[in-house]
């Protein structure tokens, strides 16, 4: 997908759209399996995104000789893993499985180094959907421990008081993802 007609494809917007489709499918608002055209679009987009993640992984290996010891869990990787978690039936092609497994391992290893609440919420759902339920519950517990509870305002997080224009710092979306997690 692209941002506007005539522009080249864009990884972020493709991930965002496919993530949204996956979310709607999970909520039973749509049924991808009953729409052949939509199913083909999703499959093609996932293959594109898997290939992009593999490119990133190859560059990481090329430019960081200690890549196995270093944190490469960026926002784009987390968004990719979250999008991918909606499509467990679409197995990761063998060509891309090394990258996928590397980044999933990064999520397990470095979840706590990420201070962004939206990313932690996404990581808890990613890990839960990939069978790491104990670790996912640990992340949820960290939300509870860092929450502010108020009779007037309910439960909230101080970090949401400082929004910015970055997509991963939108307070309403972050609050919604924490609740979903």
């Amino acid at each position: 997908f692209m941002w506007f007609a005539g522009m080249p494809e864009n990884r972020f917007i493709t991930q965002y759209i496919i993530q949204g489709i996956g979310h709607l499918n999970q909520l039973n608002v749509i049924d991808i399996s009953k729409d052949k055209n939509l199913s083909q679009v999703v499959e093609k987009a996932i293959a594109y995104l898997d290939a992009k993640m593999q490119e990133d992984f190859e560059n990481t290996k090329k430019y960081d000789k200690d890549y196995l010891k270093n944190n490469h869990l960026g926002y784009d990787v987390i968004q990719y893993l979250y999008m991918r978690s909606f499509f467990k039936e679409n197995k990761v092609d063998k060509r891309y499985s090394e990258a996928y497994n590397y980044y999933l391992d990064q999520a397990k290893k470095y979840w706590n180094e990420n201070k962004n609440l939206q990313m932690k919420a996404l990581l808890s759902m990613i890990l839960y959907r990939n069978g790491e339920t104990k670790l996912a519950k640990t992340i949820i517990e960290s939300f509870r421990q860092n929450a502010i509870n108020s009779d007037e305002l309910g439960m909230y997080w101080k970090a949401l008081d400082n929004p910015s224009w970055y997509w991963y710092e939108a307070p309403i979306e972050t609050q919604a993802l924490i609740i979903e997690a």
Side-chain angles (χ1 to χ4, degrees):
F1 292 95
M2 62 200 84
W3 280 99
F4 299 103
M7 294 180 76
E9 75 274 355
N10 180 275
R11 176 197 221 156
F12 169 79
I13 200 66
T14 302
Q15 282 183 169
Y16 197 72
I17 289 169
I18 298 304
Q19 170 186 309
I21 291 170
H23 212 163
L24 290 171
N25 190 64
Q26 180 187 41
L27 294 170
N28 296 317
V29 174
I30 61 173
D31 186 349
I32 297 171
S33 66
K34 292 183 178 176
D35 186 331
K36 185 177 179 180
N37 291 331
L38 182 58
S39 180
Q40 289 174 342
V41 167
V42 168
E43 284 181 32
K44 185 176 178 183
I46 289 173
Y48 162 79
L49 294 167
D50 286 346
K52 289 294 185 184
M53 210 37 60
Q54 183 68 36
E55 284 177 29
D56 286 355
F57 179 62
E58 295 302 330
N59 284 328
T60 297
K61 290 192 310 185
K62 182 178 178 180
Y63 295 110
D64 182 359
K65 298 305 175 198
D66 288 330
Y67 71 96
L68 292 173
K69 297 178 184 175
N70 295 325
N71 181 352
H72 294 282
L73 189 63
Y75 297 139
D76 55 337
V77 171
I78 295 170
Q79 184 194 32
Y80 163 78
L81 291 171
Y82 180 66
M83 175 279 305
R84 204 68 177 78
S85 74
F86 285 110
F87 300 99
K88 300 303 287 177
E89 70 281 357
N90 294 69
K91 300 291 182 202
V92 177
D93 188 292
K94 282 192 284 187
R95 295 175 293 169
Y96 312 127
S97 62
E98 184 183 10
Y100 177 79
N101 291 328
Y102 171 77
Y103 289 119
L104 191 56
D105 287 343
Q106 291 265 298
K108 295 174 200 173
K109 187 174 181 180
Y110 297 113
W111 73 267
N112 201 28
E113 289 186 22
N114 197 315
K115 302 305 177 202
N116 181 281
L117 295 178
Q118 188 173 134
M119 295 302 105
K120 279 189 176 181
L122 294 177
L123 285 165
S124 70
M125 290 183 278
I126 292 163
L127 293 168
Y128 183 83
R129 292 174 187 163
N130 281 282
E132 297 289 335
T133 56
K134 186 176 180 181
L135 188 51
K137 289 177 183 177
T138 299
I139 297 170
I140 297 301
E141 185 56 34
S142 77
F143 280 122
R144 288 190 182 103
Q145 291 173 359
N146 293 297
I148 298 169
N149 290 293
S150 163
D151 290 338
E152 289 180 28
L153 302 174
M155 181 186 286
Y156 68 98
W157 291 265
K158 186 120 178 97
L160 297 178
D161 291 340
N162 300 312
S164 79
W165 58 274
Y166 293 110
W167 66 269
Y168 50 82
E169 291 179 345
I172 295 171
E173 187 172 358
T174 300
Q175 181 81 25
L177 285 167
I178 292 170
I179 291 167
E180 181 181 353

